[in-house]
Every structure is written in structure tokens, then in C-alpha cells.
Amino acid sequence: MLFDSASDLWRIGLIGVLSYAVLITVLRVSGKRTLAKMNAFDLVVTVALGSTLATIVLSRDVSLSEGAAALVLLVCLQFAATWLSVRWPSLRGAIKSTPTLLFRDGKLLTDALRRQRVTDDEVFQAIRSQGIGDLAAVAAVVLETDGTFSVIPQQQAGNRTALPGINVNSNRDEI
């Protein structure tokens, strides 16, 4: 059977367009933080938004207003969690991971690599992607909270004030 009725297809089309418009509006109102590079918390919210949108479009049991309320609720919860994490550092650790130092002054930090499940080759690729061919020219490589690598060349390391609080080993040592 290709479809139950033409009215089902019209409903999906109409509800799909309307709920998509609601989602875009809610995301635009919620600000750039919602659409930033994702950490684990942001990924969960994004997947929940996508799942909710699919449910609104495909389920006759969920009205557009109920679906819109669910979308707004998810974005409000994400906003509240990030707002609270900015104001209470202890909560920040529960919501967002800390950056991890993987490479320092020409040497791989193997324990950190193992804990973060990152290979030597991935670190070397990040270094090469910055146009650096000599490991001695690298002051640090940091695995950021969104999963990207930051490569800091020795020439630009300066006094390393951008690196405090970076997770080295199992504690939050400064470098």
C-alpha cells in the first residue's frame, strides 16, 4: 500500500511546513548558543528536537500546538541549563566537559590520549592541518569540549594564558 489517503499526505505537508517554521523561529529566538558547535549536552537537545519534529509531522496523535510546546520546552530547558552553568561552575562540569591537553611541547600525552580515545594519528593530522611539519614547533594540542582540536604553535604560545584549567592527566592542572 502506497498511502492510506490523500488527506494524510496533505496533513503531513501542512503540519510539516508549519512545525518546521515553528522550529526555525524557536531556534532563532533562542540565540546562537543553540546552534553552536555541539558538545554532548547540545547533541542530546538537537536529537530531541529532531525527534520531536518527526513526531509532530508523522503522528496524528500529536497536535501542532502540542508539538510546538514540546519544541519550545526543549529549547527553554537547554537555555536554562546553559544559563545556570554560566552562573554556577559546579553545574558546568555536569553539563559540559573540560578541554583536555593531548600534546605539550613536542610530546604526546599518552595517558590523556588513551582516556579521550584519541589516536596519535588524529593529533598529527590536526597539527598537519595547521601547516606545521615539525612537532617541536607545537606548544600544545587541546581537545576542545566540542570535539575539535586546537593547535597552538610555539611562536604563538606566548605566556600560555589561554591554557589555564585545561585538563592534564586526571585533574585540572594549569600549564
Side-chain angles (χ1 to χ4, degrees):
M1 179 182 293
L2 294 176
F3 62 92
D4 290 332
S5 70
S7 66
D8 287 344
L9 295 178
W10 283 107
R11 181 197 170 280
I12 289 172
L14 178 63
I15 296 298
V17 168
L18 294 174
S19 59
Y20 183 77
V22 168
L23 178 60
I24 295 300
T25 302
V26 168
L27 290 175
R28 294 287 294 149
V29 168
S30 70
K32 293 178 185 174
R33 173 73 173 97
T34 307
L35 301 173
K37 288 185 178 180
M38 291 185 279
N39 57 44
F41 177 75
D42 297 326
L43 176 64
V44 168
V45 172
T46 302
V47 169
L49 287 170
S51 176
T52 303
L53 180 63
T55 301
I56 296 166
V57 171
L58 297 175
S59 176
R60 284 185 166 273
D61 297 333
V62 178
S63 69
L64 179 59
S65 60
E66 291 170 334
L71 292 172
V72 169
L73 175 65
L74 287 170
V75 171
C76 287
L77 288 173
Q78 196 256 358
F79 177 80
T82 55
W83 185 87
L84 291 169
S85 73
V86 167
R87 282 148 184 83
W88 285 296
S90 58
L91 183 60
R92 187 178 310 140
I95 292 175
K96 197 170 187 178
S97 63
T98 59
T100 302
L101 186 67
L102 302 175
F103 186 93
R104 178 174 47 196
D105 297 323
K107 295 181 182 169
L108 289 165
L109 303 175
T110 54
D111 288 342
L113 290 169
R114 202 171 300 121
R115 265 194 328 282
Q116 298 301 319
R117 298 178 313 281
V118 174
T119 66
D120 302 3
D121 291 336
E122 290 172 304
V123 174
F124 297 148
Q125 177 185 3
I127 293 169
R128 288 190 308 270
S129 71
Q130 297 299 309
I132 300 172
D134 183 2
L135 296 180
V138 178
V141 176
V142 177
L143 178 62
E144 301 293 353
T145 60
D146 64 0
T148 60
F149 294 98
S150 293
V151 178
I152 300 145
Q154 288 285 4
Q155 294 174 339
Q156 297 174 333
N159 62 5
R160 301 177 187 217
T161 56
L163 299 174
I166 302 291
N167 189 354
V168 183
N169 298 326
S170 61
N171 54 15
R172 293 174 58 120
D173 298 336
E174 290 188 14
I175 58 173

